[in-house]
Amino acid sequence: MKLTVNLGKDSYPIYIENHILDRAVSYITQIFSGKRIMIVSDDHVFPLYGEQLVSNLSGTYECHHLILPHGESTKDFQTLPTVYKALLDAKLSRSDLIIALGGGVIGDLTGFAAATYLRGVKLVQIPTSLLAQVDSSVGGKVAVDLPQGKNLVGAFYQPSLVLIDPLVLNSLNERFIHDGMGEVIKYGCIWDAELFRTLASHSSFEDLKEELPSIICRCVDIKRIVVEHDQFDTGERMLLNFGHTLAHTIEQQFQYQRESHGEAVSIGMYQITRLAEEQGLTASGTSGKILDVLERYELPHECGLPLGTLTEAISLDKKNLNNHLNIVLLHEIGDSYIKPASIQFFADNTRMV
């Protein structure tokens, strides 16, 4: 399956195929004619797929690799000097290539390094987690975290190619399958009621597995459409942030140690829909439908904190401009909209979420 993100000179193909890692070189030679490649990965992913990728590429290119610790704490501004040093030591020039082989953390961090090293080096994304395959590897948002919040230093930097191999998900820890399902459910909520019904018609991820390649493709296609309409996140692309206003603050509250990103998004989607229903902004019963699907895929819907604990971090969120928040809400499943609001939307400080 091939999709193309049409962004003029920044257009790029996305290939979704089983065993595509075995044929990576045939795709990379189509977009890269330079000499050196740096593969950035982590200590979970590289032992599984790194050598396979290196051996596939090394007959054609001079390959180097950097292995970083896994986990959100790696996506830190302080990690960047390590990445830049590895690129310099390998003598990567602006005519060379960087490959991000890993989940969302590696994709975001490596993407930001590629965007800023020598003012921009060609980038290929090879996502190995469900979350990265359906969401973060496509669209060009790259970033690192600061102690004050998630993704506060970032850029828009489109890859030259995305290679998605659904079979790598077989080696994923079960928790991170569920994590990715949080973002899959998001796409059904904001854009595609039929996708949501498909998810609701299965009893578990195992039951859904046969349909996974087509579901990944549908999520990527939705993101492609949204990014083509709004590359720089000033309008329609904000819909992709459904659940994220609360999710980022939940992640930060626990120093990224408790809820994963997809788990936090799941909580955020349910809780913000519950608030919107109570204010007459979302059709009654919508949060119940979301809760049912979250439970099918073993995702949480509450974090056990009073809302007031989260509002200070929300006020620092980069989507909060002049005390003006753009909150993503649902009219109903599959039909989302952007609601201009203030921090008062979250005014019930004592309620538990």
Side-chain angles (χ1 to χ4, degrees):
M1 168 66 72
K2 179 185 180 183
L3 300 168
T4 301
V5 182
N6 293 299
L7 296 171
K9 66 179 178 58
D10 293 325
S11 297
Y12 55 95
I14 302 163
Y15 294 94
I16 305 167
E17 292 175 24
N18 288 338
H19 300 292
I20 203 167
L21 262 179
D22 297 331
R23 305 185 300 276
V25 71
S26 64
Y27 296 93
I28 288 172
T29 51
Q30 293 174 35
I31 58 98
F32 175 57
S33 57
K35 178 183 175 187
R36 293 186 185 90
I37 294 178
M38 172 64 78
I39 299 165
V40 181
S41 191
D42 70 32
D43 55 9
H44 273 180
V45 172
F46 194 84
L48 293 170
Y49 304 111
E51 294 300 339
Q52 177 184 352
L53 183 60
V54 169
S55 65
N56 189 257
L57 297 174
S58 56
T60 309
Y61 303 106
E62 177 189 317
C63 285
H64 303 264
H65 63 268
L66 172 65
I67 304 172
L68 296 167
H70 66 276
E72 184 73 34
S73 58
T74 288
K75 201 179 103 177
D76 186 278
F77 191 80
Q78 303 303 323
T79 306
L80 287 170
T82 302
V83 181
Y84 295 140
K85 182 178 185 302
L87 297 172
L88 288 164
D89 289 348
K91 298 182 170 55
L92 249 75
S93 71
R94 287 190 72 184
S95 60
D96 292 322
L97 173 70
I98 300 172
I99 296 177
L101 174 68
V105 166
I106 289 296
D108 281 6
L109 172 77
T110 306
F112 185 76
T116 50
Y117 177 73
L118 304 179
R119 295 198 178 94
V121 177
K122 195 182 285 274
L123 171 70
V124 168
Q125 293 275 8
I126 305 181
T128 60
S129 70
L130 180 57
L131 187 147
Q133 289 189 352
V134 300
D135 192 71
S136 61
S137 66
V138 175
K141 273 190 179 181
V142 296
V144 291
D145 301 337
L146 294 178
Q148 293 89 342
K150 190 173 167 109
N151 297 335
L152 291 180
V153 179
F156 291 95
Y157 193 69
Q158 301 296 340
S160 297
L161 170 70
V162 182
L163 298 178
I164 296 174
D165 188 340
L167 290 180
V168 304
L169 301 179
N170 291 333
S171 62
L172 263 191
N173 178 297
E174 188 178 2
R175 181 184 179 191
F176 290 100
I177 288 290
H178 300 154
D179 172 64
M181 286 304 298
E183 291 282 358
V184 173
I185 293 164
K186 177 194 79 176
Y187 282 108
C189 287
I190 65 168
W191 198 272
D192 190 339
E194 184 58 39
L195 171 60
F196 190 91
R197 281 192 287 274
T198 298
L199 299 175
S201 70
H202 290 77
S203 59
S204 65
F205 180 78
E206 201 57 40
D207 185 37
L208 181 75
K209 218 168 181 180
E210 268 187 36
E211 296 191 48
L212 196 56
S214 65
I215 285 170
I216 292 170
C217 191
R218 181 58 184 143
C219 293
V220 170
D221 202 34
I222 294 168
K223 185 151 192 186
R224 175 193 66 77
I225 293 164
V226 173
V227 169
E228 286 178 358
H229 290 172
D230 177 21
Q231 183 178 354
F232 297 110
D233 206 11
T234 56
E236 188 177 45
R237 188 168 177 172
M238 291 183 193
L239 296 175
L240 299 172
N241 293 325
F242 178 53
H244 285 57
T245 301
L246 281 175
H248 285 170
T249 63
I250 292 165
E251 288 178 272
Q252 185 191 347
Q253 186 67 33
F254 296 103
Q255 289 82 49
Y256 310 104
Q257 298 299 308
R258 203 178 82 168
E259 278 81 9
S260 68
H261 179 66
E263 289 167 346
V265 167
S266 300
I267 297 167
M269 291 189 294
Y270 171 71
Q271 294 293 345
I272 209 158
T273 303
R274 204 160 63 112
L275 283 166
E277 271 187 55
E278 290 168 8
Q279 296 176 42
L281 299 169
T282 292
S284 179
T286 305
S287 63
K289 292 176 183 175
I290 294 172
L291 178 60
D292 173 65
V293 171
L294 294 178
E295 289 178 338
R296 287 172 189 269
Y297 297 99
E298 299 178 47
L299 284 158
H301 65 277
E302 58 190 3
C303 67
L305 290 175
L307 193 52
T309 304
L310 303 176
T311 51
E312 184 181 343
I314 290 171
S315 70
L316 283 174
D317 193 289
K318 58 191 176 303
K319 294 180 282 294
N320 182 14
L321 305 170
N322 301 321
N323 200 34
H324 172 87
L325 279 168
N326 286 308
I327 300 173
V328 182
L329 303 177
L330 307 180
H331 289 300
E332 60 186 1
I333 297 294
D335 180 8
S336 55
Y337 68 104
I338 298 163
K339 167 74 175 172
S342 73
I343 204 74
Q344 290 306 113
F345 179 87
F346 303 98
D348 185 0
N349 284 346
T350 58
R351 85 179 284 159
M352 300 301 285
V353 294

